[in-house]
C-alpha cells in the first residue's frame, strides 16, 4: 500500500493493489490455520450430510487431480448425519485429497470412502486408540503413493512441519485439520507404509437419530 502511494501509473497501481490483496488473504488463511491448530477458531456448526460434502469437494477439485491418478469413491448409503462447521469440513477434505495427490507424483489410485463407526472400550483396546466412546461418521482418504517415512509419521500433525519443497507447503494443513476436529469433538488418524501408501481417517461425531 505504501508503494501505491509512490506511483501514479494506473497499471502499476493495479499491480501493487492486487499484490496487497493477495498478501492480506494469505495472512487471513495463516491466521485461521493457527487458530484452528490452537482450537480457538470461531466455528459455525450445522447439521449436514458428510456424503454430500464429499461429492461437492470432489466435483470442484476434479481439475486439480491429474489423469494418471484413478479416483474411486465409496460412500455409505444411510450414513449418519453429523454436526460440525461445513466450511472447515470441506477444507479438511480438500486438504487430504490434495495431500493424497501430491503423494502420487507418478500416478496411482486414490480411494475416498465414508462409513458409520461405533467406538467403545473394546474398539479402543483392539486398535490401541484413545477415542471417546460414541457414534462417529468416518471419512477415509487413501493413496498408493510413496508413504510416510517412520521418522516423519509422528510429526505429520506438527505445525510448520512439511516434507514438501520450499514454497509448496506451509506445514499447517494437517495441524489445522487436527485442531478443527479436536475442537469439534472428533479426531484424525493416519496409517502409512512406505512404497505402499497412506490412509488418513477423519472422524466426526454423529448426531442422535438418522
Amino acid at each position: 500500500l505504501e508503494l501505491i502511494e509512490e506511483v501514479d501509473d494506473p497499471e502499476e497501481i493495479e499491480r501493487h493493489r492486487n499484490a496487497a490483496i493477495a498478501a492480506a488473504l494469505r495472512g487471513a488463511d495463516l491466521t485461521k490455520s493457527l487458530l484452528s491448530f490452537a482450537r480457538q477458531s470461531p466455528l459455525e456448526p450445522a447439521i449436514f450430510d458428510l456424503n454430500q460434502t464429499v461429492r461437492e469437494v470432489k466435483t470442484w477439485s476434479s481439475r486439480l487431480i491429474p489423469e494418471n491418478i484413478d479416483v474411486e469413491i465409496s460412500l455409505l448409503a444411510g450414513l449418519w448425519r453429523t454436526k460440525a462447521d461445513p466450511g472447515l469440513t470441506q477444507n479438511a477434505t480438500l486438504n487430504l485429497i490434495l495431500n493424497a495427490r501430491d503423494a502420487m507424483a507418478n500416478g496411482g489410485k486414490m480411494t475416498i470412502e465414508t462409513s458409520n463407526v461405533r467406538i467403545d472400550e473394546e474398539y479402543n483396546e483392539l486398535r490401541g486408540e484413545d477415542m471417546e466412546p460414541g457414534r462417529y461418521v468416518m471419512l477415509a482418504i487413501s493413496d498408493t503413493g510413496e508413504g510416510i517415512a517412520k521418522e516423519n509419521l509422528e510429526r505429520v500433525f506438527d505445525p510448520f512441519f512439511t516434507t514438501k519443497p520450499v514454497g509448496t507447503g506451509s506445514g499447517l494443513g494437517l495441524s489445522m485439520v487436527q485442531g478443527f476436529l479436536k475442537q469439534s469433538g472428533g479426531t484424525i488418524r493416519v496409517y502409512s507404509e512406505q512404497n505402499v501408501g497412506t490412509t488418513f481417517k477423519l472422524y466426526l461425531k454423529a448426531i442422535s437419530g438418522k
Side-chain angles (χ1 to χ4, degrees), residues 39-87:
R39 306 181 207 173
Q40 295 179 13
S41 179
L43 301 180
E44 297 180 4
I47 298 173
F48 65 94
D49 178 3
L50 183 60
N51 280 347
Q52 184 59 31
T53 297
V54 172
R55 292 188 192 99
E56 292 172 357
V57 174
K58 173 60 175 61
T59 296
W60 49 258
S61 67
S62 294
R63 61 184 180 84
L64 303 175
I65 309 298
E67 293 183 357
N68 63 352
I69 293 179
D70 179 36
V71 180
E72 179 179 312
I73 298 182
S74 177
L75 304 181
L76 178 70
L79 187 72
W80 296 327
R81 293 167 70 81
T82 186
K83 185 176 183 179
D85 187 307

Side-chain angles (χ1 to χ4, degrees), residues 92-210:
T93 304
L94 179 61
N95 185 283
L96 296 179
I97 287 175
L98 296 183
N99 278 354
R101 176 204 65 184
D102 293 344
M104 298 183 285
N106 298 317
K109 181 178 180 180
M110 182 189 308
T111 304
I112 304 171
E113 57 184 320
T114 58
S115 65
N116 295 325
V117 180
R118 292 182 185 273
I119 304 295
D120 54 23
E121 294 302 333
E122 182 180 2
Y123 182 100
N124 281 331
E125 290 178 6
L126 288 174
R127 292 165 175 77
E129 299 283 6
D130 58 355
M131 295 172 60
E132 181 181 342
R135 302 194 317 159
Y136 293 81
V137 291
M138 188 270 290
L139 167 64
I141 298 180
S142 305
D143 66 68
T144 57
E146 57 192 26
I148 303 172
K150 189 174 181 179
E151 62 270 21
N152 293 331
L153 197 57
E154 295 180 357
R155 302 184 60 196
V156 294
F157 298 113
D158 289 353
F160 304 112
F161 175 76
T162 179
T163 57
K164 295 179 181 180
V166 175
T168 60
S170 67
L172 279 170
L174 288 175
S175 62
M176 181 194 73
V177 171
Q178 184 187 56
F180 154 63
L181 286 168
K182 287 186 175 181
Q183 193 176 353
S184 303
T187 192
I188 184 172
R189 293 290 185 264
V190 57
Y191 311 88
S192 187
E193 185 176 345
Q194 284 194 281
N195 301 316
V196 175
T198 300
T199 297
F200 281 94
K201 292 185 176 181
L202 178 158
Y203 294 84
L204 285 167
K205 280 197 167 182
I207 63 170
S208 300
K210 295 183 178 180

